[in-house]
Amino acid sequence: MTAIRANYDAPRLRRLDAAHHIHPFSNATQVVAEGGGKLFAHADGIYIYDTDNKRYLDGMAGLWCVNVGYGREELVEAAARQMRELPYYSSFFGGTTPPTVELAAKLTELLGHGLNHVLFANSGSEANDTVVRLVRHFWNLEGKPKKKAFIARRHAYHGSTMAAASLGNWGTMHEQADLPLPGFHHVEAPYWYAEGGDKDPESFGIACAKAIEAKILELGADNVAAVIGEPVQGAGGVIVPPKSYWPEVERICRKHDVLLIADEVICGFGRTGAWFGFETLGFKPDIVSMAKGLSSGYQPISAVAVTDRIAKPLIDAGYWLHGFTYSGHPVAAAVALKNIEIMEREHLVQKVAKETGPYFAQRLKTLEKNPIVGEVRTLGLLGGIELVADKKTRKRFEPLGHAGTVCRERCLANGLIMRASFETMVLSPPLTITKAQIDELVTLAGRALDETAAELLKK
Ligand SMILES: *Cc1c(COP(=O)(O)O)cnc(C)c1O
């Protein structure tokens, strides 16, 4: 594996970046004030390098996506081969291409549970937007056009388009676009550490599921289309639900004939130690959205899988006017297929379940010794480290968000990429990470947390 070392003119690029590039989810004022963004140049395995060749352990696998790690020549070859063969053709009007078909079939095999039909898109947001379109169409076809409301949870992230952001529940995101759109509702999330009060985790899990039922009854089951959730809420702060939660949510959805949607954009493709988060957390969804780990981020691609019950009326109805020019893109599909092949060949899912996941949990837990760490949460290779000013009262540092920003900076200085999500530091390393590399990650995180504690606790 030889990383390409292009000779970049970094000062020029940063100047142009500040002048012309508005970054997604970034503080634009700060990017301009600092004379451009942080330039990354190349990567290999679990490490990424900036243009000064400083090395960082990528504790986030990019943005929760580079599951098979960087520098995979096989994925490069799969893309190049497909580009030579057929770089693009549309799936509109009944067209299709070999990798698109193979990928659809492969996904249904991995998913099981009657999730036999797949639609493609290009991002997690588009997948969830597709879900909203699809569910509305489905209930119209079923002769229940009043069933239109979506119930999602607080702290949810489902993407950035108008519908996906409406499903999500971030205050500032909503304010900036006058969201949510009508018909999107939010209830308590199973966030025991911050919101569980004096309930034990399992009864809190049941109470949070009952909050969904209360919302269904308030709106009237005849008006509720679907409940959507990430099996583990990722961007909200790696919120791992109590075991009692999802089975009870599923029971409630069945009872009221409300569809259950799993947003597997982060949890899918091995992250929790199974192919999908719904397997780890013990429920069966009607609809699954996937992106990120589907191609390990080497190509933009996403998918939505649905059961026969949902596909049948759609197929029987003839034309459905939805899709994107690049839906089922052959190059992205070829890369996703090869990515899945690598995961199977290297037994990455089993490795997370049996070896690296448990080791990660055990090692990360040691960071709870730090005076500002309130709780460490893990599932598979997802980790959250919640920062508090007072462990006993779980009181947070003020102003909110500051502690995370300090910690993220200390991580970068120490050569670790760990993201701050509200008051929680989050981790989602490549699934190829070894035990020795987990030790390295925990050492770097520990050092950054010590430095953060020293800075925040000095008076
Ligand atoms: C990242 C993410 C999305 C949005 O995916 P994009 O590809 O950024 O549009 C949706 N749902 C979840 C759970 C995510 O983490």
Side-chain angles (χ1 to χ4, degrees):
M1 279 185 290
T2 46
I4 297 161
R5 305 288 164 91
N7 210 358
Y8 296 109
D9 180 351
R12 173 176 168 273
L13 288 171
R14 296 195 70 225
R15 230 172 21 247
L16 293 174
D17 192 56
H20 302 297
H21 178 201
I22 297 182
H23 293 229
F25 282 94
S26 301
N27 182 334
T29 315
Q30 192 181 336
V31 170
V32 172
E34 289 175 356
K38 185 156 184 48
L39 268 175
F40 292 98
H42 59 96
D44 196 17
I46 66 163
Y47 299 99
I48 182 155
Y49 299 78
D50 65 18
T51 41
D52 296 326
N53 222 25
K54 180 175 160 72
R55 186 178 99 156
Y56 303 85
L57 193 165
D58 186 2
M60 282 304 295
L63 213 47
W64 326 80
C65 56
V66 189
N67 286 7
V68 298
Y70 298 96
R72 292 281 192 168
E73 276 301 319
E74 277 180 280
L75 297 183
V76 178
E77 277 162 24
R81 199 181 315 120
Q82 186 57 43
M83 280 195 206
R84 284 192 196 98
E85 195 81 7
L86 180 66
Y88 171 74
Y89 199 73
S90 156
S91 300
F92 284 28
F93 321 125
T96 195
T97 74
T100 315
V101 178
E102 295 285 2
L103 182 59
K106 184 70 199 179
L107 289 176
T108 63
E109 176 199 317
L110 293 175
L111 284 156
H113 302 294
L115 291 152
N116 287 328
H117 310 267
V118 176
L119 303 90
F120 289 109
N122 311 288
S123 69
S125 303
E126 284 182 8
N128 285 328
D129 226 289
T130 297
V131 165
V132 172
R133 293 273 311 259
L134 181 80
V135 166
R136 293 168 73 102
H137 185 43
F138 170 77
W139 286 120
N140 287 345
L141 290 171
E142 293 288 276
K144 297 184 177 173
K146 285 194 332 197
K147 273 177 100 67
K148 288 290 155 59
F150 279 81
I151 299 174
R153 288 96 45 80
R154 294 179 55 208
H155 309 290
Y157 185 77
H158 295 293
S160 196
T161 59
M162 292 292 276
S166 294
L167 291 170
N169 189 227
W170 290 16
T172 316
M173 254 182 103
H174 281 179
E175 278 163 32
Q176 290 179 345
D178 305 304
L179 296 173
L181 296 170
F184 292 86
H185 304 268
H186 298 90
V187 300
E188 283 90 323
Y191 189 178
W192 177 77
Y193 182 76
E195 296 164 5
D198 45 24
K199 285 201 172 68
D200 66 273
E202 297 311 321
S203 44
F204 181 66
I206 296 290
C208 290
K210 297 275 191 234
I212 291 177
E213 183 160 43
K215 182 57 84 177
I216 292 173
L217 295 173
E218 177 199 321
L219 297 168
D222 290 347
N223 300 316
V224 180
V227 167
I228 185 169
E230 307 155 72
V232 175
Q233 293 184 284
V238 181
I239 301 166
V240 181
K243 283 198 175 61
S244 58
Y245 179 73
W246 277 112
E248 181 66 7
V249 172
E250 181 180 7
R251 193 190 64 76
I252 289 165
C253 288
R254 301 285 165 246
K255 178 172 155 202
H256 297 286
D257 197 18
V258 164
L259 299 177
L260 179 54
I261 304 157
D263 180 343
E264 295 271 358
V265 171
I266 287 177
C267 294
F269 302 93
R271 183 56 59 195
T272 68
W275 277 97
F276 297 96
F278 68 76
E279 301 169 82
T280 306
L281 289 151
F283 68 105
K284 293 189 188 75
D286 303 290
I287 302 180
V288 175
S289 30
M290 300 160 264
K292 296 191 169 121
L294 168 56
S295 65
S296 284
Y298 279 66
Q299 284 284 294
I301 182 168
S302 64
V304 173
V306 302
T307 56
D308 296 333
R309 179 196 175 193
I310 293 166
K312 178 143 195 330
L314 198 88
I315 291 166
D316 291 346
Y319 250 99
W320 183 42
L321 302 175
H322 173 78
F324 307 99
T325 300
Y326 299 136
S327 297
H329 195 289
V331 177
V335 169
L337 273 170
K338 184 59 77 175
N339 174 61
I340 292 168
E341 185 190 313
I342 291 172
M343 292 191 63
E344 288 183 322
R345 190 177 67 223
E346 298 183 2
H347 306 291
L348 288 180
V349 179
Q350 294 89 324
K351 212 176 127 200
V352 173
K354 299 229 163 70
E355 187 191 330
T356 47
Y359 190 69
F360 181 67
Q362 174 207 325
R363 293 290 287 116
L364 212 64
K365 202 79 182 162
T366 61
L367 298 175
E368 279 184 350
K369 287 199 305 276
N370 186 291
I372 62 168
V373 173
E375 184 188 49
V376 168
R377 302 182 279 275
T378 54
L379 190 66
L381 284 180
L382 276 175
I385 304 167
E386 183 147 346
L387 307 181
V388 289
D390 183 333
K391 291 197 191 215
K392 241 206 214 94
T393 61
R394 303 184 182 179
K395 196 168 92 59
R396 290 170 164 173
F397 284 103
E398 292 190 5
L400 284 177
H402 176 64
T405 307
V406 172
C407 188
R408 194 191 53 203
E409 292 307 317
R410 296 325 306 156
C411 287
L412 284 175
N414 281 288
L416 171 67
I417 295 179
M418 176 158 73
R419 175 174 156 195
S421 285
F422 305 97
E423 300 308 293
T424 301
M425 303 307 298
V426 295
L427 286 165
S428 165
L431 306 186
T432 51
I433 195 168
T434 63
K435 283 181 163 180
Q437 290 169 331
I438 289 172
D439 288 338
E440 184 190 347
L441 185 160
V442 173
T443 302
L444 295 175
R447 207 175 286 160
L449 285 163
D450 287 346
E451 292 172 12
T452 306
E455 184 165 337
L456 294 175
L457 299 177
K458 80 169 175 244
K459 259 272 144 10

